[in-house]
Amino acid sequence: MSDLKISNLHKHYGGFHAVKGIDLDVPSGEFTVLVGPSGCGKSTLLRCIAGLEETSQGTIEIGGRDVTYARPRDRDIAMVFQNYALYPYLSVKENIAFGLRARKFAEAEIEKRVSRAAEMLAIGHLLQRFPRELSGGQRQRVAIGRAIVRDAILYLFDEPLSNLDAQLRDDMRVEIKRLHNELGRTMIYVTHDQIEAMTLADRIVLLRDGLIEQQGAPLDLFERPKTRFVAGFLGSPKMNFVDATATRTGVKLADGTTLDLPGQKGLKAGAAVVLGLRPQFITVAGKTVAKGHARVPAVIELLQPTGSRVQATLPLGGASIVAELAAHDVSKPGEKIHIDLDLTRAVVMDPQSGQVI
Amino acid sequence: MSGLPLHRRAGFRLSFRYLLAALLVIVFCFPVYWLFIISFKTPDEIFAFPPVWYPASLQFGNYWVLFKDGDAGTVWNSLVLASVSTFFAMILGTVAAYSLVRFKTGGENLAVWIISQRMMPPVAIVFPLFLLYVYFGWVDTYFGLIILYTAFSLPYVIWMMRGYIEDIPLELEESALIDGCSRWEVLWKVVLPMARSGLFATAVFTFIFAWNDFLFALVLTRTEVTTYTVQVTHYFGGQSNFWAKIAAMSVLGTIPVFITVAIMQRYLVRGISMGAVKG
Amino acid sequence: MTATVHPDRNFKYWLVAPAIFLLLLIGLFPLIYSLIVSFMRIDMMDTDTSFAWFYNYKTLFKDSRLWWSLAHTLLITAVALPIELLLGLAMAYLFLEKMPGRQVFISLLVLPTIISPIVAGATWRLLFDNRYGPINQILGWFAGEPVNALWTINPTLVYPAIIFCEVWQWTPFMFLILLAALSNVDKSQTEAAEIDGARFIRTFRYIVLPAIWPVMAIAILIRGLDLFRIFDIVWALTQGGPGTKTETISIYAYVQGFKQFETSYTAAIAFLVVFILTVVCVWAIRRMGLVK
Ligand SMILES: Nc1ncnc2c1ncn2[C@@H]1O[C@H](COP(=O)(O)OP(=O)(O)OP(=O)(O)O)[C@@H](O)[C@H]1O
Ligand SMILES: [Mg+2]
């Protein structure tokens, strides 16, 4: 059963077409992440689902019920906002209880639910405080608490962690993942942080200019992007793109290097293509060349250590590429090494349409 | 400049400021003092020459007369009119301001039209209003003056509350909508508490405007709802003013405002500066 | 039964409807009524509702009492407003820096503003009394001989009296607003200018004034409008007398309407007032840069 079903949704802001016909089906219990560059319409889509924006065209069903024209409060949803949206004049406890009171829950039930939510989020000791007396992370917990005390069908999150510092963000990410596992509710989460998207999502929906570019499991999108946009958007450091010419069995780079791409059929020999190689799928040459890998020589131009890994910038086929290598495998710029490219995971794209071939 | 050490000069400066401040306080407060003191004087002291600067003892006789004749009831009339009209103006004005801010109802034009009503000189409308009120039988009724004061305060309330409401984060309201509030409940449970200090500051000024009104009350009241401002002028008479009554009535009519202002002081300063900044 | 329109569409109109209704009733209706009546010839003797067209407006131009009342109003405005502004500014500077007891001083200084104008007028009537009032008494100390100035009767003294009272009541208002505005001026900028050796006047002209101008302009506008329709203080002090010496435009309109019952003519005056105010406001708002 699906908890959310969107058909052909459009949204116009005056003359501006922000959402251009989206179809989406979210099964019960799934954690769906909406990602995309700034301004692509993620928030707009989420706000349409919440009923905070009027839709221009299309339908929205939540829990099997058509709610296209329903008020936000009649949609059976809960939402966590980017800036916490806590009421400064209410205590933490009353903030969490706000939705229950608005829905006329019995006092005993409110008491029970608030303390359970507080316990889950480890904010039991803060209940009597006011929002101004809390840290950013604590505020965000309260905001999440306010959503989870309710039995909503759908839980919406609009960039809930973007106001937190990096460390706290990692912690809260784990927390949200745990909550999802414990509660088993359907959640829709907007972010433009692709690490959040990759780690949290059961399914990623990648938006671009008001349309869905691709959706699927995180690894699916990561390894089998359908377009150059998807390939470039997901993954950090970004995928390397190298201009090349197609041959019968692979590609030929600008400097004449030919690479055989296993499993690539349908390449039109002589056509201009773009080869996409993830930095993670490049390694320093070992004893043997693994099947489907190609070994090429390279001179390190630049090194950016990130801890156990190091990002090395190298020339390849007339372009500069980035490889993510083990830190102890390389020492300094100028070093001459050999690298192995995992061509089984390389993608080839049409330079004009951006479609993966 | 001078050979004085720096701290001595700072000391002179401060003393000078205190001197000026004291002088100003005397000049600005003396008339209030005089009014106050006359109200406690006996007729002999009032009409003494040279004037008596402070009475030998505080006489409450002047006030006693006002209460005995029922004149003091006009303060009650003012109180009813000012508070009830403030109450309604605050509700209608806040709600309208909310609509103007959140939904841009009527666009800039409506907002400008409303503020332009604030510039309307009372004397330009008081005469036709008088005829209208005669026609409806609203002259000398609470109802008539209350709707008049309410309407007259509305532009100010709307203008002020617009500024305060603009400062409320939209997310708070949206969150409440999702959590189960109707639009009205959002107003009641989110917007009003968030705009609390603005509401108080605006309410005090609205109250004072209505309280101070003289022209409308002069024209539209007779005997039933005479306000204290009109009552004060009843004691004016060519050469022989009823000095004691003027003073006592004025003090009676000033006390409620003093109390209000004293209680609300911390909201007022913000209200004045905010209102001025936001225009 | 699924709905097919978005709910709460009319909510925003419900919110403004009562306010607009009241404003139309109290604000717009009388104005339109005035406009129509001003073209008729209704007065106390005669409820002739035939149209006289511009008759009343033509009379306006020949009515010297009207133009004098306008002149009186402008005189009071032109003298009182600059005094209030400058005095208020000076006072704001005096209390700008912290000093012990500052809040008490400010609270005391604001007293005149919260008093009803009619009471302010009445108070000064008591103060100005030629025999039993303290003003003449105090002046006598300085003069060294008894002073018997007839403040509210002597034609050369009534204007100082009115302006005194007006300034006394409203300077604190200016003071409060300007104090708030001055406190918001970025300290680091003025200090930087002082370190550069800029004189006070220059600092004020090029740094402080631009910063406080938006607030100051509104304060001037508000006070200017209030002064233009001044009624209460003058009424309490002189009722427009002696004779019609201190009749302001508001008092004149009131007298025409409620003492002479010149319905149509009063309506025409009302329109003249609205017209002048509108022109002045629009000009001032443009001129002061209050709108982009
Ligand atoms: N109220 C509005 N009026 C007009 N245009 C709007 C409005 N809200 C959003 N837009 C436009 O719609 C587009 C999508 O906005 P949206 O907020 O959905 O982007 P987003 O994907 O959430 O971006 P971000 O990651 O920066 O939050 C943007 O181009 C934005 O300028
Ligand atoms: Mg967004």
Side-chain angles (χ1 to χ4, degrees), chain B residues 186-200:
Chain B
V186 168
L187 256 173
W188 180 246
K189 290 181 180 168
V190 179
V191 177
L192 291 192
M194 287 300 291
R196 221 178 66 131
S197 65
L199 279 171
F200 284 142

Side-chain angles (χ1 to χ4, degrees), chain A residues 99-130:
Chain A
L100 301 176
R101 289 203 195 288
R103 289 171 194 273
K104 313 260 182 309
F105 277 62
E107 191 59 38
E109 178 70 8
I110 293 178
E111 204 60 44
K112 202 177 85 194
R113 286 178 178 230
V114 170
S115 50
R116 208 181 63 210
E119 194 186 317
M120 276 178 117
L121 292 160
I123 48 173
H125 58 296
L126 303 174
L127 286 180
Q128 301 312 322
R129 294 213 196 154
F130 282 85

Side-chain angles (χ1 to χ4, degrees), chain A residues 38-44 47 82 158-159 190-192:
Chain A
S38 192
C40 68
K42 307 178 293 288
S43 299
T44 306
R47 291 166 56 81
Q82 178 173 0
D158 192 355
E159 309 201 25
V190 165
T191 179
H192 54 229

Side-chain angles (χ1 to χ4, degrees), chain A residues 22-264:
Chain A
I22 281 189
D23 294 288
L24 188 63
D25 212 326
V26 178
S28 213
E30 198 183 72
F31 199 115
T32 303
V33 173
L34 303 179
V35 282
S38 192
C40 68
K42 307 178 293 288
S43 299
T44 306
L45 177 58
L46 200 71
R47 291 166 56 81
C48 286
I49 296 171
L52 297 172
E53 289 305 342
E54 297 180 357
T55 55
S56 306
Q57 193 191 323
T59 57
I60 300 171
E61 281 175 36
I62 293 176
R65 200 162 52 93
D66 184 350
V67 296
T68 314
Y69 297 102
R71 292 185 172 89
R73 61 172 179 160
D74 299 327
R75 295 189 176 207
D76 225 340
I77 50 173
M79 185 159 170
V80 178
F81 290 85
Q82 178 173 0
N83 297 312
Y84 324 126
L86 300 181
Y87 305 110
Y89 49 91
L90 295 179
S91 66
V92 166
K93 184 176 165 191
E94 285 307 308
N95 261 291
I96 297 178
F98 187 89
L100 301 176
R101 289 203 195 288
R103 289 171 194 273
K104 313 260 182 309
F105 277 62
E107 191 59 38
E109 178 70 8
I110 293 178
E111 204 60 44
K112 202 177 85 194
R113 286 178 178 230
V114 170
S115 50
R116 208 181 63 210
E119 194 186 317
M120 276 178 117
L121 292 160
I123 48 173
H125 58 296
L126 303 174
L127 286 180
Q128 301 312 322
R129 294 213 196 154
F130 282 85
R132 63 174 175 278
E133 301 162 343
L134 302 179
S135 71
Q138 289 168 334
R139 282 180 207 184
Q140 197 48 271
R141 278 166 198 267
V142 177
I144 292 172
R146 204 167 65 189
I148 65 171
V149 283
R150 303 233 337 264
D151 287 316
I153 297 182
L154 208 55
Y155 291 78
L156 308 175
F157 298 81
D158 192 355
E159 309 201 25
L161 306 185
S162 60
N163 281 352
L164 304 180
D165 61 49
Q167 177 63 45
L168 210 51
R169 205 181 302 178
D170 291 347
D171 295 347
M172 286 304 292
R173 214 169 54 216
V174 175
E175 194 92 341
I176 290 175
K177 183 96 185 171
R178 187 174 60 78
L179 275 176
H180 179 246
N181 290 339
E182 275 175 39
L183 297 169
R185 293 310 176 93
T186 315
M187 298 185 172
I188 298 184
Y189 189 104
V190 165
T191 179
H192 54 229
D193 178 343
Q194 43 135 337
I195 301 187
E196 266 173 37
M198 296 297 284
T199 51
L200 284 173
D202 292 328
R203 176 163 55 154
I204 289 180
V205 175
L206 204 153
L207 297 178
R208 178 191 185 188
D209 281 345
L211 282 170
I212 295 181
E213 185 86 356
Q214 188 177 354
Q215 54 174 311
L219 265 187
D220 209 30
L221 263 68
F222 188 70
E223 298 194 342
R224 281 177 293 283
K226 284 199 185 128
T227 64
R228 176 173 177 162
F229 178 80
V230 178
F233 189 81
L234 291 178
S236 168
K238 280 176 68 146
M239 183 184 263
N240 299 299
F241 296 110
V242 184
D243 289 331
T245 320
T247 62
R248 225 158 27 76
T249 55
V251 293
K252 189 165 109 195
L253 304 183
D255 62 352
T257 317
T258 56
L259 301 170
D260 269 354
L261 300 177
Q264 275 289 0

Side-chain angles (χ1 to χ4, degrees), chain B residues 96 99-100 104-116, chain C residues 16 20:
Chain B
S99 179
L100 293 187
K104 308 272 176 286
T105 315
E108 264 309 287
N109 290 338
L110 185 60
V112 169
W113 178 71
I114 287 175
I115 187 62
S116 74
Chain C
V16 285
I20 291 183

Side-chain angles (χ1 to χ4, degrees), chain C residues 31-254:
Chain C
L31 219 55
I32 292 172
Y33 180 89
S34 282
L35 184 64
I36 296 170
V37 164
S38 72
F39 291 119
M40 299 177 175
R41 40 175 122 234
I42 306 176
D43 58 34
M44 185 164 58
M45 303 296 144
D46 194 357
T47 49
D48 174 11
T49 53
S50 69
F51 278 84
W53 298 111
F54 289 97
Y55 172 78
N56 290 304
Y57 291 95
K58 280 183 201 135
T59 316
L60 280 183
F61 284 95
K62 287 177 281 180
D63 184 355
S64 65
R65 193 170 158 193
L66 170 76
W67 297 106
W68 274 116
S69 71
L70 204 57
H72 298 153
T73 312
L74 291 179
L75 172 68
I76 295 174
T77 309
V79 178
L81 190 55
I83 298 180
E84 284 169 24
L85 183 67
L86 294 177
L87 196 54
L89 192 61
M91 283 164 67
Y93 260 107
L94 181 64
F95 289 100
L96 186 55
E97 278 170 50
K98 296 264 177 302
M99 64 198 230
R102 175 172 173 261
Q103 203 50 53
V104 179
F105 281 121
I106 295 177
S107 302
L108 285 173
L109 285 175
V110 176
L111 279 186
T113 298
I114 53 184
I115 289 179
S116 308
I118 203 83
V119 168
T123 305
W124 282 86
R125 208 177 155 124
L126 304 182
L127 291 166
F128 277 132
D129 189 87
N130 62 317
R131 189 162 166 80
Y132 307 113
I135 302 242
N136 279 348
Q137 189 66 26
I138 294 170
L139 288 178
W141 296 343
F142 289 104
E145 56 180 1
V147 171
N148 189 21
L150 299 167
W151 288 96
T152 56
I153 296 167
N154 184 335
T156 53
L157 291 178
V158 285
Y159 276 100
I162 289 172
I163 286 164
F164 236 90
C165 178
E166 171 66 33
V167 165
W168 172 78
Q169 172 152 51
W170 291 106
T171 301
F173 173 83
M174 279 287 188
F175 159 61
L176 266 194
I177 287 186
L178 293 175
L179 182 62
L182 281 179
S183 320
N184 286 338
V185 175
D186 188 356
K187 269 252 168 47
S188 60
Q189 284 188 17
T190 50
E191 274 162 14
E194 269 163 33
I195 289 167
D196 290 346
R199 302 253 292 284
F200 173 81
I201 295 288
R202 276 189 73 82
T203 317
F204 181 80
R205 170 73 185 78
Y206 291 103
I207 293 171
V208 179
L209 192 59
I212 64 172
W213 179 245
V215 175
M216 199 156 124
I218 287 172
I220 294 174
L221 191 64
I222 291 177
R223 284 304 307 143
L225 288 175
D226 284 351
L227 273 163
F228 188 77
R229 53 197 186 193
I230 185 169
F231 184 88
D232 300 11
I233 283 181
V234 181
W235 187 262
L237 273 174
T238 68
Q239 294 204 323
T244 58
K245 251 308 186 238
T246 58
E247 209 166 56
T248 63
I249 188 82
S250 287
I251 290 183
Y252 183 56
Y254 173 81

